[in-house]
């Protein structure tokens, strides 16, 4: 029998999107899971799902007890309530491919940190691009962010071997900080190079919102300082250098993004970053 997995899902103002995200979990080929929904807005998501005809005994509802305390806190609350060592993260507006958990749990039996390729899509389902989809299964260390240069919440991990939580002090890039901290416990991630996760780029999402670049740039500088100093530890020095190299290039891209967005309002950061990363 394969191992069960806890899926953690932070939820804030997610009434319009959470049904689709939950359905993607319930539709998994791997059915040994619990889904821990952590409300960060005092919303009764049990009621929201019931109105959509979604009820399942494997869905667990918890709450941060506040409003907009942050997705890091919401995820940490969910982790604290999760029953199983294997964890996967899904935002309340994203989607799992049907075999995400099956593939991930099988890989976790071999390696405690697993990442997957992803699709980037609009809410209407229009595909924008893929990231990290090589078609290969491989260990990634120094080259991790060269391949996975978009979001990092497509991961699965064994919390008994990678015992970390999300940083509640960061205003953004919490997934990137999380994966950096994971590399204190592993030398590499086991990457499944197929699009097993769909990241839905919402209109006005923080990554593309006007005026957000200074916040992202400041956070990237903070992560760079932490990598250059002693905030992060690594099993592999090459991994530290890989994250540093990526963040320095990503910071340059961030500093140019608002001007690029002004001339092309449809531009997404991934498409802006990739050529700079390739040439950098």
């Amino acid at each position: 029998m394969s191992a069960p997995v806890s899926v953690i899902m932070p939820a804030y103002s997610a009434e319009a999107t959470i049904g689709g995200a939950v359905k993607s979990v319930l539709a998994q080929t791997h059915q040994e899971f619990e889904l821990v929904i952590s409300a960060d807005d005092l919303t009764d998501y049990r009621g929201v799902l019931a109105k959509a005809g979604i009820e399942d005994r494997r869905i667990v509802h918890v709450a941060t007890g506040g409003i907009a305390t942050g997705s890091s806190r919401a995820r940490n609350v969910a982790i604290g309530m999760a029953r199983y060592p294997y964890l996967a993260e899904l935002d309340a507006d994203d989607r799992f491919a049907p075999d995400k958990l099956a593939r991930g749990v099988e890989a976790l039996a071999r390696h405690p940190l697993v990442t997957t390729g992803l699709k980037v899509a609009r809410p209407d389902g229009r595909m924008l691009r893929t990231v990290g989809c090589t078609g290969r299964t491989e260990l990634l260390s120094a080259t991790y962010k060269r391949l996975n240069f978009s979001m990092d919440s497509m991961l699965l991990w064994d919390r008994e071997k990678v015992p970390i939580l999300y940083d509640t002090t960061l205003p953004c890039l919490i997934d990137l900080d999380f994966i950096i901290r994971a590399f204190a416990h592993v030398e590499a991630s086991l990457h499944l190079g197929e699009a097993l996760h769909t990241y839905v780029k919402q209109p006005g999402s923080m990554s593309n919102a006007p005026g957000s670049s200074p916040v992202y740039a400041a956070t990237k500088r903070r992560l760079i300082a932490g990598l250059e100093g002693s905030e992060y530890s690594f099993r592999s020095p090459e991994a530290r250098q890989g994250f540093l190299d990526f963040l320095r290039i990503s910071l340059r891209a961030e500093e140019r993004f608002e001007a690029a967005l002004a001339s092309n309002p449809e531009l997404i950061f991934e498409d802006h970053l990739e050529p700079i990363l390739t040439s950098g």
Side-chain angles (χ1 to χ4, degrees):
M1 182 178 293
S2 58
V5 57
S6 294
V7 180
I8 63 170
M9 180 181 290
Y12 174 76
S13 294
E15 294 94 327
T17 62
I18 194 170
V22 170
K23 285 179 180 178
S24 79
V25 179
L26 298 179
Q28 291 297 294
T29 58
H30 179 86
Q31 286 285 299
E32 295 176 68
F33 65 81
E34 65 172 355
L35 170 59
V36 186
I37 298 174
S38 181
D40 193 32
D41 55 4
L42 303 182
T43 296
D44 175 17
Y45 284 106
R46 187 190 306 273
V48 170
L49 294 176
K51 287 180 181 178
I54 302 171
E55 294 185 77
D56 193 287
R57 59 177 178 77
R58 295 167 295 183
I59 301 175
V60 179
H61 292 272
V62 298
T64 64
I67 298 175
T69 66
S71 61
S72 289
R73 174 169 163 72
R75 291 173 183 178
N76 289 344
V77 168
I79 290 171
M81 294 298 296
R83 291 187 296 161
Y84 304 126
Y86 287 0
L87 298 178
E89 198 277 327
L90 178 65
D91 286 342
D93 56 357
D94 291 346
R95 305 284 188 275
F96 280 165
D99 55 345
K100 168 75 180 269
L101 293 183
R103 295 287 306 283
V105 167
E106 186 277 332
L108 281 171
R110 295 182 281 133
H111 194 80
L113 180 68
V114 175
T115 53
T116 79
L118 62 90
K119 298 176 183 178
V120 182
R122 296 291 189 197
D124 62 6
R126 178 166 62 94
M127 274 283 297
L128 297 174
R129 62 167 302 137
T130 60
V131 177
C133 294
T134 63
R136 303 187 301 273
T137 296
E138 56 191 319
L139 288 170
L140 298 177
S141 183
T143 59
Y144 171 82
K145 286 303 296 181
R146 291 281 178 167
L147 181 61
N148 296 306
F149 56 83
S150 189
M151 66 183 293
D152 295 282
S153 64
M154 68 288 189
L155 59 87
L156 306 96
W157 70 103
D158 181 341
R159 62 171 163 174
E160 292 183 346
K161 297 176 181 176
V162 185
I164 53 177
L165 293 172
Y166 289 88
D167 188 335
T168 60
T169 69
L170 290 173
C172 59
L173 300 177
I174 61 171
D175 296 307
L176 178 51
D177 170 82
F178 188 84
I179 196 78
I180 293 172
R181 294 183 186 280
F183 272 72
H185 304 277
V186 296
E187 293 187 358
S189 75
L190 180 60
H191 184 74
L192 310 179
E194 299 172 39
L196 300 177
H197 190 115
T198 298
Y199 165 40
V200 180
K201 182 88 69 172
Q202 297 290 346
S205 68
M206 187 176 180
S207 61
N208 273 59
S212 64
S213 278
V215 178
Y216 275 93
T219 306
K220 288 174 183 178
R221 292 188 191 100
R222 175 175 165 181
L223 296 181
I224 289 169
L227 286 163
E228 291 175 334
S230 58
E231 180 176 350
Y232 299 107
S233 59
F234 283 84
R235 292 276 296 272
S236 163
E238 292 79 9
R240 179 192 296 273
Q241 192 60 49
F243 280 109
L244 258 176
D245 292 343
F246 167 79
L247 273 163
R248 287 167 178 158
I249 294 170
S250 185
L251 177 59
R252 293 203 303 270
E254 195 69 62
E255 292 168 342
R256 305 174 193 173
F257 185 51
E258 286 201 347
L261 195 61
S263 61
N264 178 10
E266 292 296 312
L267 182 67
I268 62 172
F269 187 72
E270 289 85 353
D271 287 344
H272 170 70
L273 171 62
E274 187 173 27
I276 300 173
L277 188 64
T278 302
S279 63

